[in-house]
Amino acid sequence: MSLYFQVSIFMLLCSSSFDFFVCFDNHQIIFIDLILHKTKAYRHLLYNVVNQESANVQHLLWKLVLAYLLLDTYRSLLLRRTNDGSNVSMSFLFESLEVLVNVLSANFAFVFSFAFAAKLMLVMPRGKEILLTILISSYVKIFLFAMPVWEFPVSVIFIVDMLVLTSNAVALKVMTESATSRCLAVCFIAHSIRFLVDQISGHLGSVM
């Protein structure tokens, strides 16, 4: 049997496989397809990669929560840096406490509103699986680290927020097998409430 024939058979089998990435486990390809919001990449990540660590899923969940909150804190600090220097005289301790309160309150509102909207509009699996799905699909936040390097405008932060929203919606669609419109609606409601709470708590902090 020629090498060309063997490769052709391999490609044919993989193309008809439920998970294409099982055959081609290339991290660069997977990451690019995640950025492009391809459902096959999300399905591979959520069902194969995560399930490989199912014994330590609780440990993984805590690490993702910590990473998510740290990235959100970094986002909040970036927004503050791009604003005027009116808060320069503020003590470091008070500023850190204010950022922490903003991040925690905004994300509490996000989780609560997400759970409420999803319960009304979707057929939900276990809550832990959905939380894991949202945390993993928020990987787009890592692009915020590129802002100080290339001196992007502040509008890029909100572009990243929109990408996080759409990424959450694709991952939610894969996990729940619900309609795209419903998943987008749930994520839009949750992110909108999160944004409003973040703005309100930030405004109250600046007044104080």
Side-chain angles (χ1 to χ4, degrees):
M1 185 181 295
S2 67
L3 179 61
Y4 174 78
F5 183 73
Q6 293 180 28
V7 172
S8 299
I9 294 296
F10 179 75
M11 293 287 290
L12 180 63
L13 290 174
C14 285
S15 63
S16 62
S17 174
F18 176 73
D19 191 347
F20 175 82
F21 298 104
V22 171
C23 298
F24 298 98
D25 191 12
N26 187 299
H27 297 302
Q28 287 81 9
I29 294 176
I30 295 172
F31 186 67
I32 291 171
D33 281 350
L34 285 172
I35 294 173
L36 295 174
H37 288 15
K38 292 190 175 181
T39 54
K40 281 188 176 182
Y42 281 86
R43 186 173 290 112
H44 172 74
L45 183 64
L46 296 172
Y47 284 105
N48 290 334
V49 176
V50 174
N51 281 351
Q52 291 175 5
E53 302 195 30
S54 57
N56 299 318
V57 68
Q58 192 70 32
H59 184 59
L60 175 64
L61 186 61
W62 281 113
K63 288 197 293 186
L64 287 172
V65 167
L66 179 61
Y68 184 91
L69 291 176
L70 286 174
L71 286 170
D72 236 21
T73 303
Y74 180 68
R75 172 191 175 278
S76 184
L77 290 172
L78 281 177
L79 281 173
R80 284 172 174 271
R81 184 181 299 178
T82 55
N83 292 332
D84 56 22
S86 58
N87 291 330
V88 173
S89 60
M90 186 186 300
S91 69
F92 175 75
L93 181 61
F94 183 76
E95 185 177 5
S96 301
L97 183 62
E98 184 183 337
V99 169
L100 182 62
V101 170
N102 286 359
V103 169
L104 291 177
S105 59
N107 281 289
F108 177 79
F110 171 74
V111 171
F112 181 79
S113 57
F114 184 92
F116 183 75
K119 187 175 182 180
L120 291 178
M121 303 178 68
L122 302 175
V123 178
M124 296 286 289
R126 291 184 301 175
K128 185 185 293 185
E129 293 176 355
I130 290 297
L131 180 58
L132 201 61
T133 298
I134 295 302
L135 292 172
I136 291 173
S137 60
S138 297
Y139 70 91
V140 187
K141 289 177 182 284
I142 63 175
F143 291 114
L144 292 172
F145 287 119
M147 284 194 62
V149 177
W150 286 300
E151 299 182 354
F152 288 135
V154 67
S155 57
V156 172
I157 295 177
F158 301 106
I159 293 173
V160 170
D161 288 344
M162 291 302 298
L163 289 173
V164 171
L165 189 157
T166 53
S167 179
N168 290 162
V170 174
L172 193 61
K173 173 181 170 61
V174 169
M175 182 61 69
T176 63
E177 298 183 355
S178 301
T180 303
S181 58
R182 287 178 173 270
C183 295
L184 276 172
V186 169
C187 293
F188 180 78
I189 291 169
H191 280 272
S192 297
I193 292 176
R194 180 192 178 283
F195 178 77
L196 288 174
V197 172
D198 185 46
Q199 293 298 306
I200 291 170
S201 59
H203 178 70
L204 291 176
S206 62
V207 171
M208 294 174 61

